[in-house]
């Protein structure tokens, strides 16, 4: 018999999982096997690794390790980083396999109960014909949808058997509006769905896919929220160590660049900068100059350009090979913005030039060298709340600002989509 | 149908004598304090960030200023006067008669006639039908905007959506993506077939010749056999078109992509995806053409007569 807590292995954000998290020990007292599981789960390949047995202790270890994996990842990377992709992709694969496995073992109802919490769906009725409420689904459509699913999965006719076929046959209908989080990330395509009267007709295989992708999106959002929290408070040493071990499991970059690199390191993209950074770059008045230049721009531009990940962030030299990144790319932007201030920042406070490099971690100098990296602390980007408190004129929120808590998250999110303002006739 | 620019006196008269708060649609009236208003005093809609707490405030403003044009946001905000605290946005389609990709009239530039306005009306109705039948939206409003129509959906399910979802809805509703299987009876394949058939119906030889690889003889043949082709498209039997003499696989693909691009031009996709857009305020005067921007309760029975302001009737 399946215990009620078992839903947590399909949805780590379900109430049952939250209860298990509440019972978790302090980080230092976390059992070593949970820590190992948190690290190893990003490379799970075999069913044996992904499936969780029915015991309370196994479910508990599964949930704790999931949360530890997310927290450790957020401690050493940033939203949309390769680490975040690795974790979300692994999570999706795991959830999808578990759904498949439970269906296979006859626990379809358990899976549907979990899915039902996030998606409104019904089963197609099969009597004389195939019906969705008052609407009859043409028999020819039904078979065409099945054949398309098989073709998309790359299954050839001779490979089809009785166990495989039911996965690819339309069986449910889901409210298309529930798929909004997946449409937003292009994890579902409206024009590829068979939508009738507001219902998207889907196969069990699509149901697993959609649900697994949905949990993937939630996992990514959770890592983003943790990143924002850590950018404020810093992450515990133990999480940093676990995060570095997860990061070391990323496949070689050259091989999987396409798969993981959604936010490229490299050239800065000013069109994706948040309003506060744009404002600071344009120069500000005497009251907010120091904060805008020394605190916000210095940290934002350096973290956005260098995108540190995979290691506990202490020195820039761990992530760049050339000091020209600092001298020729980051510093000029900061100095130009300082010149645009009213009055120009460095004219009456020339000592602040050295302060810029101090905040970048090179100590008090105006001539930074790579080997000086780590002489002082590389200051993290302040979160939105701190900016609002310290320099209110800088904060002119736009729509996206509402959904993020850090300027750097804003920058990373804008790679996914950007907004515009306009007037319609 | 006479269209000309309104004089400042006519604008004043319109807002003093004819404008009524009863002409504001309920979906705006009930959310008035949450919307950003924008005004044009003759140099474009540059006066933005306005908020009205009551309809009386708006009425008094319009009466006093008699703007060249008035706009309201499709978005609702916590602080409309700062455009902050976005809550949600209507899903809108802007079908502008002057920008239709294919016209059966000779209007050009910013000019529109009853014929192209009627084409825009039909497209707006067609979009709304897909929103109703496929996407199950029920709160759909039509607005005659002066040179075209706005379709505005206020169903909760779409109002919370962001840009990418809206982009996908535009693709679906316009028939902007070639489906994997065009023969499927219901769902998106049906929408695509209908849109392609309609676009092909309006296509002339001259347009067809813009397709790469399209020879004149083939274009002439396609136009000559238009009825047959449209019937084949509606049946999902594209093979019949591909089999036309001189067509070839590549040219056929180019033709299909060309038709799909024209489908996408039926509406301005930027308007639909922009969740902070301001649109001409229903009930206001479009001074460029001296027409009232009005809520259309029955799109099938729309009459341009209802949009003519008094000063134009009397002038005529």
């Amino acid at each position: 018999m399946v215990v009620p807590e078992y839903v947590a292995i399909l949805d780590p954000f379900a109430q049952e999982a939250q209860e298990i998290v509440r019972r978790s020990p302090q980080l230092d007292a976390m059992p070593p096997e949970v820590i190992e599981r948190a690290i190893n789960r990003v490379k799970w390949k075999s069913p044996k690794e992904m499936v969780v047995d029915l015991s309370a202790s196994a479910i508990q270890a599964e949930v704790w390790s999931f949360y530890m994996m997310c927290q450790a990842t957020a401690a050493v990377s940033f939203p949309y980083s390769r680490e975040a992709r690795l974790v979300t992709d692994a999570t999706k694969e795991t959830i999808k396999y578990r759904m498949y496995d439970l269906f296979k073992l006859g626990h379809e109802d358990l899976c549907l109960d979990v899915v039902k919490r996030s998606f409104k769906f019904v089963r197609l009725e099969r009597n004389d014909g195939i019906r969705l409420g008052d609407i009859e689904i043409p028999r020819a459509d039904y078979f065409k949808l099945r054949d398309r699913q098989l073709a998309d999965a790359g299954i050839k006719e001779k490979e089809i058997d009785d166990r495989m076929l039911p996965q690819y046959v339309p069986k449910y209908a889901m409210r298309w509006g529930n798929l909004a989080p997946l449409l937003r990330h292009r994890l579902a395509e409206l024009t590829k769905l068979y939508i009738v009267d507001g219902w998207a007709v889907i196969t069990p295989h699509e149901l697993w896919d959609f649900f697994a992708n949905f949990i993937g999106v939630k996992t990514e959002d959770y890592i983003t929220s943790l990143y924002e929290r850590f950018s404020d408070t810093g992450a515990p040493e133990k999480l940093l160590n676990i995060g570095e071990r997860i990061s070391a499991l990323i496949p070689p970059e050259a091989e999987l660049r396409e798969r993981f690199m959604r936010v490229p390191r490299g050239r800065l993209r000013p069109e994706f900068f948040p309003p506060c950074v744009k404002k600071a770059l344009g120069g500000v008045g005497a009251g907010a100059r120091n904060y805008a230049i020394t605190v916000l721009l210095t940290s934002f531009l350096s973290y956005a350009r260098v995108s540190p990940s995979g290691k506990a962030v202490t020195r820039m030299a761990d992530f760049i090979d050339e000091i020209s990144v600092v001298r020729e790319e980051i510093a000029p932007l900061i100095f130009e913005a300082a010149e645009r201030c009213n009055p120009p920042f460095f004219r009456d406070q020339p000592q602040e030039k050295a302060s810029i490099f101090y905040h970048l971690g090179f100590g008090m100098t105006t001539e930074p060298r790579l080997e000086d990296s780590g002489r002082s602390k590389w200051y993290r980007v302040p979160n939105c709340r701190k900016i609002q408190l310290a320099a209110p004129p800088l904060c002119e929120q736009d729509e996206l600002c509402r959904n993020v808590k850090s300027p750097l998250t804003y920058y990373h999110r804008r790679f996914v989509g950007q907004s515009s303002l306009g007037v319609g006739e | 149908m006479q269209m000309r620019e309104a004089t400042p006196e006519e604008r004043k008269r319109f807002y003093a004598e004819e404008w009524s708060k009863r002409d504001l649609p309920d979906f705006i009236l009930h959310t008035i304090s949450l919307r950003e208003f924008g005004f044009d005093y003759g140099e474009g809609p540059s006066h933005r960030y306005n908020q009205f707490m009551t309809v009386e405030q708006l009425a008094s403003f319009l009466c006093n200023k008699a703007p060249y044009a008035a706009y309201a946001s499709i978005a609702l905000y916590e602080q409309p006067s700062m455009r902050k605290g976005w809550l949600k946005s209507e899903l809108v389609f802007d079908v502008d008669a002057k920008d239709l990709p294919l016209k059966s009239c000779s209007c050009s530039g910013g000019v529109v006639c009853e014929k192209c306005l009627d084409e825009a009306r039909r497209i707006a109705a067609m979009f709304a039908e897909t929103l109703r039948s496929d996407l199950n939206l029920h709160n759909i409003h039509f607005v005659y905007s002066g040179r075209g129509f706005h379709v505005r959906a206020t169903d909760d399910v779409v109002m919370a959506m962001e840009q990418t979802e809206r982009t996908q809805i535009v693709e679906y509703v316009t028939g902007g993506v070639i489906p994997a299987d065009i023969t499927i009876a219901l769902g998106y394949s049906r929408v695509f077939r209908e849109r392609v058939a309609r676009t092909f119906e309006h296509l002339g030889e001259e347009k067809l010749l813009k397709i790469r690889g399209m020879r004149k003889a083939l274009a002439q043949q396609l136009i000559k056999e238009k009825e047959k082709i449209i019937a084949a498209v509606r049946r999902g039997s594209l093979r019949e078109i591909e089999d036309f003499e001189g067509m070839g696989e590549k040219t056929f693909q180019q033709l299909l992509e060309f038709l799909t691009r024209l489908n996408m031009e039926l509406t301005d996709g930027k308007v639909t995806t922009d969740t902070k857009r301001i649109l001409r305020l229903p009930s206001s005067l479009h001074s460029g053409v001296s027409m009232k921007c009005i809520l259309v309760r029955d799109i099938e029975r729309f009459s341009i007569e209802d949009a003519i302001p008094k000063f134009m009737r009397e002038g005529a």
Side-chain angles (χ1 to χ4, degrees), chain B residues 237-287:
Chain B
S237 181
L238 294 188
R239 173 70 63 186
E240 291 176 41
I241 306 165
E242 206 174 345
D243 286 347
F244 260 75
E245 202 183 318
M247 178 66 87
E249 200 181 319
K250 262 190 185 164
T251 310
F252 175 69
Q253 192 57 32
Q254 297 275 4
L255 170 66
L256 211 51
E257 282 168 12
F258 180 70
L259 293 169
T260 307
R261 276 201 302 278
L262 291 176
N263 286 350
M264 280 289 272
E265 289 173 26
L266 292 174
T267 186
D268 182 350
K270 288 198 298 294
V271 176
T272 309
T273 52
D274 185 352
T275 54
K276 290 193 169 180
R277 190 60 62 153
I278 53 173
L279 287 185
R280 202 172 279 282
L281 176 70
S283 76
S284 69
L285 181 70
H286 188 318
S287 301

Side-chain angles (χ1 to χ4, degrees), chain B residues 89-101:
Chain B
S89 293
E90 298 163 25
L91 172 74
V92 300
F93 291 87
D94 180 15
V95 185
D96 204 326
K98 72 178 187 328
D99 297 328
L100 292 178

Side-chain angles (χ1 to χ4, degrees), chain B residues 66-167:
Chain B
Y68 189 81
Y71 302 86
S73 64
I74 60 161
L76 309 184
Y77 302 95
E78 283 166 5
Q79 295 170 278
S81 61
M82 299 171 82
R83 221 187 281 157
K84 275 187 180 176
W86 181 85
L87 300 169
K88 52 186 180 176
S89 293
E90 298 163 25
L91 172 74
V92 300
F93 291 87
D94 180 15
V95 185
D96 204 326
K98 72 178 187 328
D99 297 328
L100 292 178
L102 301 168
K103 286 184 172 194
S104 48
C105 59
S106 52
C107 292
S108 61
V111 181
V112 296
C113 67
E114 284 187 50
K115 208 170 181 179
C116 54
L117 264 181
D118 195 54
E119 280 168 21
R121 180 191 65 79
R122 284 169 195 269
I123 293 164
M126 182 172 82
F127 284 177
E129 181 47 32
T130 300
L131 293 173
R132 275 194 208 100
S133 63
D134 283 38
L135 303 187
N136 198 40
L137 304 186
H138 296 297
N139 300 306
I140 300 171
H141 315 277
F142 297 98
V143 173
Y144 165 65
S145 63
R147 286 194 176 112
F149 292 84
H150 296 154
V151 183
R152 305 174 68 151
T154 55
D155 294 75
D156 280 342
V157 65
V158 287
M159 283 193 78
M161 288 182 174
E162 296 178 13
Q163 284 187 316
T164 319
E165 298 98 295
R166 288 169 194 252
T167 303

Side-chain angles (χ1 to χ4, degrees), chain A residues 141 190 198 399 418 420 423, chain B residues 134 163 165 168 185 274-275 277:
Chain A
D141 280 6
L190 211 52
E399 191 179 321
Q418 59 174 316
S420 60
V423 177
Chain B
D134 283 38
Q163 284 187 316
E165 298 98 295
Q168 295 215 35
D274 185 352
T275 54
R277 190 60 62 153

Side-chain angles (χ1 to χ4, degrees), chain A residues 336-347:
Chain A
E336 283 164 23
E339 191 60 26
R340 285 189 205 103
C341 288
N342 185 21
F345 189 37
F346 296 136
R347 286 206 200 155

